[in-house]
Amino acid sequence: MADFPPSAPDQAYQDRFQPLGLLEEGPSPYTRADPALVRALTGGLARGRAWVEEASRAAAARGGWVMDPHLFDYNLDHYGVGTIDSPQWRIADREASYRTRAVAARGSLWGVHGYEAVYAHTLSDAGGERLNGAHSYVLRFEGPPPVGVGWSLAVYDLAGQRIGEALVGRGPVYGEEDGSPAVRIGRVWPDAAESADANRLSAPDGDFRLVLRLCAPGAGILDGTYAIPAVERTR
C-alpha cells in the first residue's frame, strides 16, 4: 500500500477497510486472524463474487456473441501515451467504476479502450448449442466488419489455450463466391476445397470458444448497432 497508494479520490473508499486492520504496516492480520475477521472476509468474498458475476452477465449478447466495447472506460486518474482523455471514455461515477473495473479484471487484465480494439467472444452456434470439435462451422459476414485497422478470429479451448488465429482483416479477403469474408472452423476436413481454404481454423477436441478481435472499431461496433453474425454449424 505504501509503494502503490491509491489516487487521492480513492483514499476515502479504501479507508473503510481500516477497522479490519488490513491497512496497517507490520505483521499480516491473516496469520492469526480473529474469527470475526474470518467471517467478515469470507462473507465479503461471497457477496463480492456474486456482485461481480451479476455485472458480468449484464454484457449484451447478440447472435451468441458477448461484447462490451466500454469495459475499460473506468480510468479517471492515470492516462498513458496515446490515451484519449474524453468523457466518452470515462465513467464519471467513481464508485460505479469500481464494479466495472472488477468485471474487467475478471475477464482479462491489461485490456484496452474500445477505440483501440474490441473483443467479442462466443461459446455457442446459431442454434444455441455449444461449439464442439465434433462438428464443423462457418462464420459468414455480409461484408468486412466496420474497423479501421483489421480484424481476426481465434479459437481457444476452455482452458484458455489459443489453438489458432485467422488474421482475416490484414491481407487478401477470402470467402464466399460473392467475395464476402468467411472463416471455417473444424477438426476434420474431408472436403479438399475446405482443407485448402485460406481462412480455415482448426478446432480442438471437445468444447471451445471463438474470440473476434476488432482493431480500431467503427461507430457501429462502439454503439452496439453492428451485429456480429451467428456461427453456423455445417456438419
Side-chain angles (χ1 to χ4, degrees):
M1 291 294 185
D3 293 333
F4 301 98
S7 60
D10 290 329
Q11 185 66 56
Y13 193 88
Q14 178 180 289
D15 287 345
R16 300 190 308 168
F17 296 94
Q18 189 70 47
L20 296 177
L22 302 181
L23 307 180
E24 304 292 343
E25 294 186 11
S28 170
Y30 300 105
T31 54
R32 292 183 177 85
D34 181 271
L37 177 59
V38 173
R39 289 194 298 271
L41 294 180
T42 303
L45 175 63
R47 292 175 58 189
R49 180 178 289 129
W51 186 61
V52 173
E53 289 289 341
E54 180 186 9
S56 299
R57 290 193 296 270
R62 299 173 60 186
W65 291 93
V66 177
M67 177 174 64
D68 189 348
H70 297 279
L71 188 59
F72 294 94
D73 290 356
Y74 51 78
N75 195 357
L76 294 170
D77 305 296
H78 306 289
Y79 296 92
V81 176
T83 304
I84 299 175
D85 181 3
S86 166
Q88 180 186 2
W89 304 105
R90 294 197 302 261
I91 296 176
D93 185 333
R94 185 170 291 271
E95 291 204 14
S97 76
Y98 297 150
R99 192 179 192 184
T100 301
R101 185 182 305 179
V103 173
R106 176 184 179 277
S108 60
L109 293 175
W110 311 112
V112 297
H113 278 295
Y115 53 80
E116 297 176 275
V118 170
Y119 293 80
H121 62 91
T122 185
L123 289 163
S124 59
D125 61 22
E129 299 294 326
R130 293 292 293 264
L131 299 173
N132 189 282
H135 306 290
S136 297
Y137 305 89
V138 63
L139 178 61
R140 294 187 177 93
F141 295 87
E142 293 184 0
V147 296
V149 176
W151 58 281
S152 66
L153 183 72
V155 176
Y156 287 81
D157 63 22
L158 296 192
Q161 180 178 355
R162 188 172 67 178
I163 307 301
E165 183 173 20
L167 300 176
V168 186
R170 297 186 179 180
V173 175
Y174 302 93
E176 306 300 272
E177 292 182 0
D178 63 359
S180 59
V183 183
R184 304 182 190 282
I185 306 103
R187 187 169 55 86
V188 180
W189 302 93
D191 185 283
E194 284 189 353
S195 64
D197 194 319
N199 287 351
R200 181 178 62 85
L201 285 173
S202 295
D205 293 329
D207 293 343
F208 65 90
R209 68 187 180 106
L210 296 175
V211 176
L212 182 66
R213 180 173 59 179
L214 304 159
C215 300
I221 295 172
L222 297 178
D223 63 22
T225 56
Y226 174 75
I228 303 169
V231 181
E232 304 170 36
R233 177 176 159 182
T234 57
R235 69 165 60 86

